[in-house]
């Protein structure tokens, strides 16, 4: 790792666990929950956020000395909106089916609080290289939670992963279905996303006592 | 009747928080006390009532395919809908700033109670989401758009009020330590969302189940057809 000093590496690894944007910083929940019924959608969403955050952080950090602080929110929104339009058009061109399942949630990356939060908290005060790493790190932290939630919801809800039947065929009763297993359709509905994230938080905080809130 | 249906649908069935998870960030961050929650909720209703109709006008007369035909025949073929994200968010950000200035000037009391929340609102997903859903659900008239803005705002207000009240009470309960704070809030919201799902049968009279997912799917396919048609025309 000659390219990354220890400090730089910390920028990437910190948000993966102990400073996770979703479970600890409580940012970017909106889109995280709505599109996680399938693993594939979660992965695409994570890649989109990774692209927007990495690039957006660099752009904002390059402009940090010329943005007047009074209108900085509008400037930030315009930068994100431009990047999101690129993502949206690319998705519509190359993955049309997916862009339908994601529907308005691609647009909602604009108001994803992780992005605005990192702009405010990091990119406005640090150089482009560090901001880039911070963006990548936080987007990966976001991706980890999305993939975990998407994995469990798709596996338990429809018995598939990335569309491949892992648990056997529910209609022809093969695999575990032969032993009377049934898909839990409830996992596909909106409320279970919240409860799944709640359980992830529970597990994470019981492993690391320092993260427990005093109410 | 149409108005009433949209009103109840936006508040209960397609509730911003419980059905589409919009505005979760501020919902979780500002729901520790009922008074602040009421302030933020009121600000959201206010801003949505302004921005949704405004964005409806933008969508109808500038962004949609053929929307520019009022400028003359030669503009009828333009389709600027790919610009809608940037136009909507710019409208929202400027409106929020404007509202802040106006409220500060004319009603210092209201400003003091809403003031700190207004800048937060520019990046509240519920506001942008309201405009995007307004666009994808193809709301027919300005009146309905206004109605949709207000009622979605009320739905969000109800949600944050309810969770704030619960969180104030839950402080006295013995929640397992790792779940305290954020974790239990998530799980309670999930349970509340299950409760809100039961409103699904309200408009159909319970004859057929209308899951929110399904309606989204239908709208999406409608959009998809439109887009596919566009592509065909381009190929031609």
């Amino acid at each position: 790792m000659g390219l990354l000093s220890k400090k730089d590496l910390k920028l990437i690894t910190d948000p993966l666990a102990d400073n996770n944007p979703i479970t600890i910083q409580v940012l970017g929940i909106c889109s995280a929950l709505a599109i996680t019924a399938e693993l594939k959608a979660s992965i695409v969403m994570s890649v989109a956020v990774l692209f927007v955050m990495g690039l957006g952080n660099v752009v904002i950090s390059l402009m940090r000395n010329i943005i007047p602080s009074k209108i900085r929110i509008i400037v930030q929104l315009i930068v994100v909106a431009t990047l999101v339009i690129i993502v949206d058009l690319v998705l519509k061109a190359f993955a049309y089916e997916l862009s339908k399942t994601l529907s308005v949630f691609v647009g909602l990356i604009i108001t994803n609080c992780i992005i605005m939060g990192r702009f405010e908290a990091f990119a406005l005060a640090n150089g482009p290289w560090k901001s880039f790493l911070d963006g990548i790190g936080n987007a990966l932290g976001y991706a980890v939670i999305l993939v975990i939630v998407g994995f469990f919801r798709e596996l338990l809800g429809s018995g598939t992963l990335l569309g491949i039947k892992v648990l056997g065929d529910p209609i022809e009763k093969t695999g575990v279905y032969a032993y009377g297993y049934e898909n839990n359709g409830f996992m596909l509905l909106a409320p279970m996303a919240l409860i799944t994230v709640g359980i992830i938080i529970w597990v994470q905080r019981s492993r690391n006592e320092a993260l427990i809130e005093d109410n | 009747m149409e108005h009433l249906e949209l009103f109840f649908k936006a508040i209960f069935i397609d509730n911003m928080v419980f059905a589409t998870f919009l505005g979760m960030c501020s919902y979780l961050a500002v729901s520790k006390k009922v008074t602040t929650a009421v302030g933020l909720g009121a600000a959201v209703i206010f801003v949505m009532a302004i921005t949704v109709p405004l964005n409806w006008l933008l969508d109808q007369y500038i962004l949609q395919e053929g929307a520019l035909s009022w400028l003359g025949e030669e503009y009828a073929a333009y389709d600027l809908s790919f610009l809608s994200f940037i136009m909507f968010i710019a409208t929202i950000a400027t409106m929020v700033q404007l509202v802040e200035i106006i409220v500060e000037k004319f009603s210092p009391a209201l400003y003091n109670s809403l003031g700190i929340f207004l800048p937060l609102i520019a990046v509240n997903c519920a506001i942008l989401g309201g405009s995007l859903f307004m666009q994808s659900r193809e709301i027919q008239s300005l009146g309905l758009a206004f109605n949709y803005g207000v009622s979605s705002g009320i739905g969000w207000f109800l949600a944050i009020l309810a969770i704030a009240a619960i969180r104030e009470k839950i402080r006295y309960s013995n929640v397992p330590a790792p779940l305290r704070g954020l974790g239990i809030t998530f799980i309670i919201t999930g349970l509340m969302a299950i409760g809100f799902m039961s409103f699904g049968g309200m408009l159909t009279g319970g004859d057929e189940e209308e899951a929110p997912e399904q309606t989204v799917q239908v709208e999406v396919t409608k959009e998809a057809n439109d887009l596919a048609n566009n592509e065909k025309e381009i190929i031609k």
Side-chain angles (χ1 to χ4, degrees):
Chain A
M1 294 302 257
L3 195 61
L4 301 169
S5 68
K6 232 180 199 162
K7 241 183 179 173
D8 287 350
L9 200 64
K10 211 166 145 42
L11 285 176
I12 292 192
T13 50
D14 246 17
L16 287 183
D18 289 348
N19 199 14
N20 190 288
I22 293 185
T23 58
I24 311 296
Q25 300 176 44
V26 208
L27 298 172
I29 319 270
C30 334
S31 54
L33 299 170
I35 45 90
T36 45
E38 284 171 57
L39 187 56
K40 202 172 167 195
S42 334
I43 293 175
V44 171
M45 192 69 182
S46 310
V47 174
V49 169
L50 189 75
F51 170 79
V52 174
M53 271 202 83
L55 225 57
N57 253 0
V58 172
V59 172
I60 290 293
S61 144
L62 285 173
M63 298 200 303
R64 69 186 186 279
N65 294 325
I66 54 168
I67 303 176
S69 70
K70 273 203 166 167
I71 58 159
R72 64 175 194 285
I73 294 200
I74 296 185
V75 174
Q76 289 165 358
L77 284 173
I78 298 292
V79 170
V80 192
T82 318
L83 291 168
V84 169
I85 289 177
I86 297 175
V87 169
D88 188 42
L89 291 179
V90 168
L91 272 182
K92 275 190 181 140
F94 294 106
Y96 191 67
E97 292 295 313
L98 257 174
S99 82
K100 273 192 297 181
T101 23
L102 294 177
S103 72
V104 299
F105 291 97
V106 178
L108 289 171
I109 299 177
I110 299 173
T111 45
N112 191 320
C113 338
I114 299 183
I115 295 178
M116 296 300 290
R118 291 328 287 175
F119 282 2
E120 286 279 308
F122 201 89
L124 278 176
N126 287 285
W129 174 238
K130 274 194 172 163
S131 304
F132 177 71
L133 293 177
D134 182 74
I136 297 288
N138 276 286
L140 286 176
Y142 172 82
V144 167
I145 302 293
L146 245 70
V147 168
I148 296 177
V149 178
F151 176 85
F152 283 111
R153 282 183 74 190
E154 191 178 346
L155 185 69
L156 300 178
S158 34
T160 57
L161 282 178
L162 293 171
I164 301 161
K165 293 185 179 109
V166 188
L167 299 181
D169 198 313
I171 297 159
E172 288 167 21
K173 302 278 173 220
T174 56
V176 286
Y177 295 100
Y179 302 99
Y181 176 81
E182 288 289 338
N183 279 330
N184 183 357
F186 206 55
M187 288 301 281
L188 295 177
L189 296 174
M192 281 315 286
L194 285 161
I195 294 175
T196 317
V197 175
I199 292 170
I200 293 176
I201 292 174
W202 192 356
V203 171
Q204 191 188 14
R205 292 189 183 182
S206 38
R207 288 171 59 107
N208 188 345
E209 308 255 313
L211 299 173
I212 291 175
E213 289 173 55
D214 45 336
N215 230 340
Chain B
M1 194 58 214
E2 204 183 356
H3 277 271
L4 207 63
E5 194 180 315
L6 185 75
F7 184 74
F8 282 112
K9 197 160 182 260
I11 293 182
F12 293 109
I13 302 175
D14 292 331
N15 185 293
M16 278 281 169
V17 174
F18 298 129
T20 46
F21 304 119
L22 296 178
M24 284 298 281
C25 309
S26 22
Y27 167 87
L28 291 168
V30 196
S31 60
K32 283 195 178 123
K33 265 195 189 153
V34 171
T35 43
T36 46
V38 168
L40 183 68
V44 166
I45 299 181
F46 195 54
V47 172
M48 279 193 86
I50 297 170
T51 56
V52 174
L54 253 180
N55 282 335
W56 185 84
L57 287 173
L58 270 179
D59 185 45
Q60 213 69 13
Y61 294 107
I62 296 180
L63 296 171
Q64 258 180 22
E65 195 195 358
L68 284 172
S69 52
W70 56 274
L71 276 176
E73 275 299 298
E74 65 271 33
Y75 293 98
Y78 284 83
D79 179 8
L80 296 180
S81 51
F82 69 94
L83 283 178
S84 42
F85 294 156
I86 214 164
M87 292 286 271
F88 286 177
I89 198 72
T91 321
I92 290 167
T94 40
M95 277 321 294
V96 168
Q97 210 104 58
L98 254 178
V99 167
E100 198 180 345
I101 294 168
I102 294 171
V103 171
E104 189 179 10
K105 176 98 177 132
F106 291 106
S107 169
L110 184 65
Y111 180 76
N112 284 337
S113 54
L114 292 188
I116 34 164
F117 300 117
L118 280 172
L120 256 180
I121 280 180
V123 288
N124 187 325
C125 350
I127 310 283
L128 181 64
S131 290
L132 289 175
F133 274 125
M134 173 274 298
Q135 189 190 31
S136 72
R137 283 176 192 168
E138 294 173 4
I139 285 181
Q140 294 300 328
S141 70
L142 186 61
L144 280 175
F146 176 73
N147 182 344
Y148 182 70
V150 172
S151 44
S152 313
I154 295 176
W156 200 87
F157 178 88
L158 269 183
I160 196 169
L161 185 63
I163 194 75
I166 293 176
R167 282 181 83 168
E168 273 195 3
K169 289 283 172 213
I170 215 163
R171 210 167 299 152
Y172 307 108
S173 323
N174 188 15
V175 179
L179 266 180
R180 262 176 219 156
L182 191 58
I184 194 73
T185 315
F186 264 104
I187 290 176
I188 291 171
T189 311
L191 295 177
M192 281 161 81
I194 295 174
F196 264 69
M197 277 170 64
S198 58
F199 286 118
M202 199 164 70
L203 287 181
T204 53
D207 291 337
E208 43 178 325
E209 285 291 323
E210 196 193 18
E213 255 87 352
Q214 279 171 346
T215 48
V216 170
Q217 217 60 37
V218 173
E219 282 148 17
V220 167
T221 39
K222 213 186 278 170
E223 274 179 25
N225 286 337
D226 291 352
L227 270 165
N229 289 339
N230 286 350
E231 277 167 8
K232 270 180 209 156
E233 276 166 28
I234 291 166
I235 292 165
K236 274 178 199 165

